[in-house]
Amino acid sequence: HSVIFDSSSTVAEAAQAVARRAVAITAVTNDLAIATALAAQPAVRLIVPGGTLRAGSFTLIGEPGASMLAGLHVDLAFVGIQALSGLRLADSSIEICDMKRRMIAATGQAVLLADSSKFQQTSFCDVCGAEKIQHIVTDDRLPARSRKALEKLGVKLTIVPAKSPAEARP
């Protein structure tokens, strides 16, 4: 299998789970911290598409990574997001949104990993409509209105128990 891991803290958890389980995959990521976690696992064939490091993060944006993503056809993409409101995914910069759009376009199975705090928020720039996402994994604090709207679109939802603030601390 081939999997894209977007740059986000929630997606990083999924990548670490893959590394712990020694799943044999080809992994593509624009996140240097995720790349480091996956690189420690010999079963993972790792591809880092390149780009410019976004200030204050481990995220690579722009060229040559953007062009490379446009030419990929992967089995699965795990994507994070800053906000999902009005059935629109949004994030904080034009460059980040461009990378996310390319990741989603590179797969037929885009999985959004987002806790319920992301819903009903807005952010600077649209990524895409929720109809471009096939599956959303979120917690049980998802507002009922959002849940109904996503189900109406045909988006598969996986709801997991929310962690209490004490459980969320490292």
Side-chain angles (χ1 to χ4, degrees):
H1 290 292
S2 53
V3 181
I4 290 176
F5 293 92
D6 180 24
S7 182
S8 94
S9 59
T10 310
V11 173
E13 292 293 325
Q16 290 168 2
V18 166
R20 280 192 304 274
R21 289 175 177 83
V23 179
I25 60 169
T26 296
V28 180
T29 185
N30 67 324
D31 186 290
L32 296 177
I34 291 173
T36 301
L38 293 172
Q41 180 47 252
V44 175
R45 178 176 178 243
L46 178 63
I47 299 169
V48 180
T52 301
L53 187 64
R54 183 175 187 219
S57 75
F58 293 102
T59 307
L60 298 173
I61 55 175
E63 295 300 338
S67 292
M68 182 182 179
L69 287 170
L72 295 180
H73 306 280
V74 299
D75 299 312
L76 182 66
F78 288 117
V79 180
I81 201 70
Q82 190 172 56
L84 196 158
S85 178
L87 298 176
R88 302 289 307 164
L89 284 72
D91 218 295
S92 59
S93 82
I94 292 167
E95 298 83 4
I96 291 289
C97 290
D98 179 57
M99 296 297 279
K100 290 178 187 296
R101 272 188 223 101
R102 291 171 188 259
M103 290 175 181
I104 292 166
T107 186
Q109 184 65 22
V111 179
L112 177 66
L113 304 179
D115 67 74
S116 61
S117 72
K118 308 292 184 178
F119 291 79
Q120 307 311 316
Q121 291 189 32
T122 58
S123 194
F124 176 68
C125 182
D126 277 356
V127 173
C128 66
E131 72 278 358
K132 300 278 187 186
I133 302 297
Q134 287 71 45
H135 188 170
I136 296 176
V137 179
T138 190
D139 62 72
D140 57 8
R141 294 181 184 147
L142 177 68
R145 190 163 91 170
S146 296
R147 184 179 191 152
K148 287 177 187 173
L150 291 164
E151 287 172 343
K152 187 176 181 179
L153 275 181
V155 176
K156 179 181 177 186
L157 287 173
T158 298
I159 309 294
V160 298
K163 288 184 177 181
S164 70
E167 292 174 306
R169 278 188 239 123

